[in-house]
C-alpha cells in the first residue's frame, strides 16, 4: 500500500470558510486491530451540515476537532479485515470520509451490493440524502396528494429529490427555487411545474408568481428570505419541514428574517425542524419506493464529482457557493 | 327600554391605538325579527386578537369595518325573543359584544346555565379562553407528564390557566413570565414553580435561570424576544404552541426576531400556530376536566373588570399595556 492522505481542520472559519481553514496531511495507511477493517474510500459525501460542525458550538453532532481529520459519509472497498462477516473486496458505507483510507470498527460499516447501483448512489439517492428528502416531505410535512409543494435549493442533492418525489406521490404543483438559469432549466427538465432563480427578484414575488394559489408544504433548505416568503405564501394549515438553512451558515450576524412569523397563528402553520436520523421508521418504504422509481426510470439524480482528496476543501467551498448540481461528491 | 350604546371603530390605529380610534354611539334598542333575539349584554370579552382586526388586512377573521360597531365575545340576558327554544330571561353566550344590546339570530347564541358558575366565567375559564389554554397545551404542544413548560404573558387570561393546567396534568416544572412584580407574585401563588418579570433583564437570561434544565413546551402569547429565548432554551424535540404575539401587535415595522430559528433543525423543534376554533374535538374533555377542577377548588381564574360600555376602549388599551390580571372584561 501507499501512504494515506487526509484533510484536517487547520482553523475554525469565521464567516465564509477558505482553503486556509483546511490542511492536507500525509499519514500511514492504518493496520486493522481485532474486529476492525480498513477501507479504501472511493467517494466522499460533501454536505452543508459540515459547515456547522466547523464552529466550536454545542449542537446535535459534536464540533470537528482542530488538527484532526474531518469526517462524514463515505463509501469504499475493504482492503484489510480483522472482522467476522466483512471480507476484503466488500463495498461498505461508513462515516469516516475526508481521507483516502479509513480504519474503523466493522460494526460502524454497512455492506452494500455494488451490482445493484453505482456505488456513489449509496451516498445520494439511495442513502441519507434520499431518505432526508423522503422523510421530510412525506413524514415531517405530511404532504398529501393535490397539494402545492415549494422546495428551496431545489437543484441540490436533497431538493431535486424532494421535487421529484412530490410529483411521484401526487402533488398538485411543485415549485423550486435555485441559484442560476441553468439550474432552473434543470428543474423544469426534472418535472417541476415551476422554477425560478432567486437572484431574479424578491423571493416573495417570484414565489407568488410561481404558486399563485399558495403553498401547502414548504421544504426548507435555505432559511432567511426563502422561509419568510414561504410563510407569506402558505395556505391555511400549511407545513414547513425545515431541513437546513444554508443561506445563513456563514453569517456572522444573526439573520433578521423571518419577520412575518406572527402569520403562523392565523394560518395555523407548523414549522418543524428535523434530522433524518429520527425517521428510521420510513426506511423500508423509502427503499421500496426509491428502488422502484429508479428501476422504472422515473427518478433522476444529479451528481457533481470532484476528483482527488486534495480537492475536497474546494468541493466543500463550491457546495456552499452553490456550484453543484445535485449531490456534491469527491472521488478519491 | 332605554337607548342602546355601542362602540364604533372611528379610525384605524397606526401602531398603538388611542381613545380617538373609538367612538361611543347612541342608537335605538333593536327589535327582533322572526328567529331573532335581543340580548342585554352583561359582560364583554376584551381580547388581544381584536387589535389585529382593527387593521385593514386579510386575516383569519375579517377586519372590523370603520364607523360600525366592533364585535367580540359577550354574555347577557335575553330581553326579547322571536325564536323557538330561547326565552326572555335566558342567559346566552354570543359574538356581538362592544354594545349594550345585541340583536342576533337565535342560531348564533348558545344558552348557558347561570346557576352553575358566575356568568363571566363563560367568557374566561369555561369559555374560549380556557379552551385555548387547554387545547394549546395538551393537543397542539402535546405536553407530557414530567416536562418543563414555559408560558409567556402568564398572568393573563390564557397564560394563568396554561400554567395551572400544566401542573394539574403532571408537568415537572412550570415557568411563567409577566410584566410586573405583583404579577410574578400572583404566579407563585397560583403554583408556578418559577416566575420572572421580563423587565428585569434579557428574557433569555431570566428563562435560563428559571429553567436550568431547559424547556420542553413553550406556550407563546408574546412572540419577539420571548419566542427567541424559548427557542434557545428548548430541549430536543421541544414544541411551541403559538397562540399569539402581543408584543408585536402594535409594531409598525416587522420584528427582526427570532434570529435563532436555525436551531429548530438540530433540536428538531416544532413551532405550531393554532386557533381554538380548530380544536372542537377537545371540548368534552375540557369541560369535564375544568368543571371538575373548579368544583374541587384546584383551578383559580383572575378577572379584571372595567365598568361601563363607555370604558370599553380604555379596557382594551389597558389590556394591550398589560394592566390586567387574568381575563379583561367589561361589565355593562
Amino acid at each position: 500500500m501507499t501512504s494515506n492522505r487526509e484533510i484536517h481542520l487547520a482553523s475554525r472559519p469565521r464567516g465564509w470558510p477558505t482553503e486556509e481553514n483546511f490542511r492536507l496531511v500525509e499519514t500511514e495507511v492504518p493496520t486493522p486491530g481485532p474486529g476492525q477493517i480498513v477501507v479504501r474510500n472511493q467517494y466522499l459525501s460533501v454536505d452543508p451540515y459540515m459547515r456547522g460542525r466547523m464552529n466550536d458550538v454545542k449542537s446535535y453532532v459534536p464540533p470537528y476537532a482542530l488538527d484532526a481529520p474531518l469526517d462524514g459519509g463515505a463509501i469504499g472497498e475493504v482492503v484489510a479485515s480483522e472482522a467476522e462477516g466483512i471480507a476484503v473486496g466488500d463495498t461498505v458505507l461508513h462515516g469516516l470520509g475526508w481521507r483516502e483510507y479509513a480504519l474503523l470498527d466493522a460494526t460502524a460499516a454497512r455492506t452494500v451490493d455494488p451490482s445493484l447501483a453505482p456505488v456513489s448512489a449509496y451516498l445520494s439517492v439511495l442513502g441519507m440524502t434520499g431518505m432526508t428528502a423522503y422523510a421530510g416531505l412525506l413524514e415531517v410535512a405530511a404532504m398529501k396528494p393535490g397539494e402545492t409543494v415549494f422546495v428551496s435549493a431545489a437543484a441540490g442533492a436533497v431538493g431535486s429529490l424532494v421535487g421529484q418525489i412530490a410529483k411521484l406521490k401526487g402533488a398538485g404543483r411543485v415549485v423550486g427555487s435555485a441559484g442560476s438559469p441553468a439550474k432552473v432549466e434543470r428543474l423544469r427538465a426534472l418535472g417541476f411545474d415551476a422554477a425560478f432563480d432567486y437572484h431574479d427578484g424578491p423571493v416573495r414575488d417570484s414565489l407568488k408568481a410561481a404558486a399563485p394559489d399558495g403553498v401547502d408544504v414548504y421544504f426548507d433548505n435555505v432559511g432567511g428570505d426563502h422561509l419568510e416568503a414561504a410563510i407569506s405564501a402558505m395556505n391555511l394549515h400549511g407545513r414547513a419541514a425545515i431541513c437546513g438553512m444554508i443561506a445563513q451558515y456563514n453569517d456572522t450576524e444573526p439573520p433578521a428574517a423571518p419577520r412575518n412569523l406572527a402569520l403562523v397563528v392565523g394560518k395555523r402553520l407548523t414549522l418543524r425542524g428535523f434530522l433524518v436520523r429520527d425517521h428510521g421508521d420510513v426506511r423500508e418504504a423509502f427503499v421500496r419506493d426509491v428502488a422502484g422509481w429508479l428501476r422504472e426510470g422515473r427518478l433522476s439524480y444529479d451528481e457533481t464529482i470532484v476528483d482527488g482528496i486534495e480537492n475536497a476543501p474546494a468541493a466543500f467551498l463550491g457546495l456552499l457557493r452553490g456550484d453543484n448540481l445535485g449531490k456534491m461528491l469527491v472521488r478519491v
Side-chain angles (χ1 to χ4, degrees), chain A:
Chain A
M1 293 185 196
T2 63
S3 68
N4 178 34
R5 294 184 301 166
E6 55 192 29
I7 304 290
H8 288 203
L9 186 63
S11 57
R12 300 198 183 281
R14 276 277 302 165
W16 283 84
T18 66
E19 296 265 4
E20 284 65 47
N21 298 123
F22 304 91
R23 185 186 303 125
L24 182 69
V25 174
E26 200 149 326
T27 64
E28 308 240 306
V29 175
T31 308
Q36 292 187 316
I37 58 175
V38 173
V39 181
R40 187 176 55 73
N41 282 330
Q42 293 167 295
Y43 287 95
L44 312 176
S45 183
V46 183
D47 301 295
Y49 80 85
M50 293 168 168
R51 177 62 187 86
R53 296 187 64 193
M54 293 173 190
N55 298 331
D56 190 19
V57 293
K58 202 182 81 174
S59 184
Y60 55 98
V61 273
Y64 289 126
L66 281 179
D67 301 316
L70 299 161
D71 59 58
I75 194 161
E77 191 184 336
V78 176
V79 292
S81 175
E82 294 294 336
E84 298 267 321
I86 296 193
V88 170
D90 282 357
T91 298
V92 296
L93 200 60
H94 63 92
L96 293 183
W98 292 87
R99 67 199 76 187
E100 291 177 309
Y101 290 91
L103 169 72
L104 64 157
D105 289 345
T107 53
R110 185 159 71 83
T111 307
V112 301
D113 184 343
S115 72
L116 290 181
V119 293
S120 62
Y122 288 101
L123 293 177
S124 60
V125 65
L126 288 170
M128 288 298 108
T129 299
M131 198 158 136
T132 297
Y134 191 92
L137 179 69
L138 301 177
E139 186 161 274
V140 180
M143 186 206 88
K144 295 187 288 287
E147 290 190 322
T148 294
V149 175
F150 171 48
V151 55
S152 52
V158 171
S160 63
L161 296 174
V162 168
Q164 292 178 83
I165 294 171
K167 292 300 288 184
L168 287 161
K169 287 287 190 181
R173 185 171 181 81
V174 174
V175 176
S177 69
S180 75
K183 289 180 176 178
V184 166
E185 196 53 47
R186 179 64 185 149
L187 295 182
R188 297 212 173 96
L190 289 173
F192 282 64
D193 298 290
F196 61 87
D197 183 338
Y198 63 79
H199 299 103
D200 284 349
V203 178
R204 181 182 301 225
D205 297 345
S206 301
L207 180 55
K208 196 165 182 148
D213 295 328
V215 167
D216 302 301
V217 164
Y218 172 49
F219 193 107
D220 191 16
N221 293 306
V222 169
D225 56 352
H226 275 80
L227 178 55
E228 184 168 286
I231 289 172
S232 285
M234 271 203 273
N235 295 324
L236 289 190
H237 304 290
R239 290 90 62 206
I242 304 186
C243 179
M245 296 194 175
I246 197 169
Q248 57 203 56
Y249 289 171
N250 296 307
D251 287 353
T252 50
E253 297 295 321
R259 294 161 297 183
N260 57 353
L261 200 58
L263 292 175
V264 303
V265 180
K267 297 206 277 189
R268 291 90 109 189
L269 306 181
T270 299
L271 314 184
R272 179 174 284 169
F274 76 103
L275 296 180
V276 66
R277 68 164 80 151
D278 294 330
H279 298 277
D281 54 310
V282 306
R283 178 177 294 280
E284 203 177 318
F286 159 71
V287 170
R288 186 189 59 231
D289 276 347
V290 168
W293 291 327
L294 288 173
R295 218 166 28 236
E296 297 159 9
R298 300 170 73 196
L299 187 62
S300 303
Y301 60 100
D302 296 319
E303 295 177 339
T304 299
I305 293 176
V306 171
D307 275 301
I309 182 77
E310 67 278 13
N311 293 318
F316 178 68
L317 301 181
L319 174 80
L320 294 180
R321 280 192 308 264
D323 291 350
N324 56 305
L325 196 64
K327 182 73 181 181
M328 179 69 95
L329 294 167
V330 172
R331 182 162 47 203
V332 182

